[in-house]
């Protein structure tokens, strides 16, 4: 195969992929473990929980996200494609009004962001959103 | 104590009893994740704020466990109910043991 324009493009994109790659990719099982730790093995179902994240994040260093889950006592946020999947856990107290929180997170690459809420009745709800990341957010 | 850490908090000055208010907090902190490497390829050690709490008159509003995936200058926005005049107390806990505190008063009238 000659050095065609198409091959050059392919080589370029894969080099870019390697350059932006940082840390060891987290296996799906690590995410599952975090969820199992949080839920104690109970099933998390879809519900009123909402995760608001941009579809495309230009800068993975600061991705604004909002989670809300009416009736939740705590909400855990995970980033499935980060070197360390845990992001943050919001624990709501008695003076909390809407069970929602906003923050800014780091995403290493395009990936799913997962939110799991523990409800006051002991059940669990989950949702996820895919965020496309143009520039990864873990330095290197 | 990490250098140049400055908490900033936005809380309305007044509210009606039982109102829901929105609180915004920001603290300047580099939040070194422990994943980055310096010029010589050595890992830069982790140095983050690992916990943030907000209390109203001693009762918890929110308690956030923070991991390295939270961005530089951690920002949080959340809602609280204000049944009476009182004080919101905000506390950030640094990895190095430092504790940063600030408080805001709110009047119910």
């Amino acid at each position: 195969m000659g050095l065609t324009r198409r091959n050059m493009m392919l080589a370029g994109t894969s080099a870019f992929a390697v350059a932006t790659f940082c840390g060891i990719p987290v296996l799906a099982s690590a995410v599952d473990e975090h969820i199992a730790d949080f839920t104690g093995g109970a099933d998390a179902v879809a519900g009123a929980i909402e995760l608001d994240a941009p579809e495309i994040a230009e800068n993975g260093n600061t991705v604004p996200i909002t989670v809300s889950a009416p009736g939740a006592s705590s909400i855990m946020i995970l980033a499935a494609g980060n070197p360390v999947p845990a992001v943050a856990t919001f624990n709501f107290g008695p003076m909390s009004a809407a069970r929602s929180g906003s923050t800014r997170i780091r995403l290493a690459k395009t990936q799913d962001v997962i939110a799991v809420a523990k409800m006051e009745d002991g059940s669990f709800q989950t949702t996820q959103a895919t965020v496309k990341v143009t520039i990864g957010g873990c330095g290197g | 104590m990490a250098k140049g850490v400055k908490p900033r908090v936005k809380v309305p000055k007044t509210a009606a009893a039982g109102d829901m208010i929105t609180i915004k907090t920001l603290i300047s902190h580099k939040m070194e994740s422990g994943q980055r490497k310096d010029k010589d390829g050595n890992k830069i050690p982790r140095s983050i704020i690992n916990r943030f709490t907000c209390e109203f008159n001693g009762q918890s509003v929110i308690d956030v466990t923070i991991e390295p995936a939270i961005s530089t200058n951690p920002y949080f926005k959340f809602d609280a109910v204000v049944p009476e005049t009182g004080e919101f107390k905000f506390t950030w806990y640094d990895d190095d043991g430092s504790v940063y505190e600030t408080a805001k008063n709110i009047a119910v009238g």
Side-chain angles (χ1 to χ4, degrees):
Chain A
M1 204 193 293
L3 195 61
T4 62
R5 186 184 157 87
R6 173 168 302 206
N7 284 341
M8 284 295 283
M9 291 292 282
L10 275 174
T13 39
S14 51
F16 180 69
V18 169
T20 50
F21 184 82
C22 47
I24 304 157
V26 181
L27 302 170
S29 61
V31 174
D32 291 342
E33 259 175 44
H34 273 280
I35 295 174
D37 274 358
F38 186 72
T39 61
D43 275 342
V45 294
I49 182 171
E50 277 184 24
L51 172 64
D52 191 12
E55 262 181 52
I56 298 175
E58 284 194 3
N59 182 356
N61 269 315
T62 49
V63 183
I65 58 153
T66 301
V67 284
S68 65
S73 60
S74 59
I75 304 178
M76 178 178 68
I77 304 161
L78 298 173
N82 272 6
V84 179
V87 174
T89 307
F90 293 94
N91 298 297
F92 299 102
M95 303 310 280
S96 169
R99 300 300 156 101
S100 73
S102 301
T103 187
R104 295 173 188 152
I105 68 172
R106 290 179 177 138
L107 295 175
K109 55 179 179 175
T110 299
Q111 60 182 282
D112 288 335
V113 178
I114 303 161
V116 185
K118 183 180 186 182
M119 313 308 282
E120 271 157 355
D121 62 6
S123 67
F124 293 90
Q125 295 185 352
T126 184
T127 187
Q128 57 179 316
T130 305
V131 181
K132 283 188 178 160
V133 176
T134 320
I135 303 168
C138 55
Chain B
M1 183 189 274
K3 277 182 191 165
V5 174
K6 186 184 168 205
R8 269 173 283 179
V9 172
K10 207 166 198 180
V11 179
K13 287 197 172 59
T14 57
D19 250 10
M20 183 178 104
I21 60 155
T22 300
I23 298 174
K24 291 177 183 172
T25 72
L26 185 77
I27 186 163
S28 46
H29 194 283
K30 60 186 186 318
M31 296 293 280
E32 194 58 64
S33 69
Q35 298 286 340
R36 293 201 314 149
K37 289 179 179 154
D38 63 15
K39 280 178 201 157
D40 307 321
N42 302 317
K43 272 203 172 169
I44 304 171
R46 172 182 138 154
S47 167
I48 66 163
I49 290 173
N50 55 42
R51 187 169 167 229
F52 163 68
T53 63
C54 172
E55 287 180 353
F56 180 71
N57 288 351
Q59 279 196 292
S60 170
V61 177
I62 197 166
D63 181 340
V64 187
T65 311
I66 304 174
E67 305 286 346
I70 294 293
S71 302
T72 309
N73 303 338
Y75 161 84
F76 292 102
K77 188 179 107 176
F78 51 91
D79 299 316
V81 278
V82 271
E84 64 214 6
T85 299
E87 185 190 59
F88 281 102
K89 196 174 155 202
F90 304 89
T91 318
W92 290 263
Y93 299 84
D94 198 307
D95 266 353
D96 66 10
S98 311
V99 174
Y100 316 112
E101 284 180 330
T102 187
K104 289 274 175 187
N105 290 311
I106 186 163
V108 168

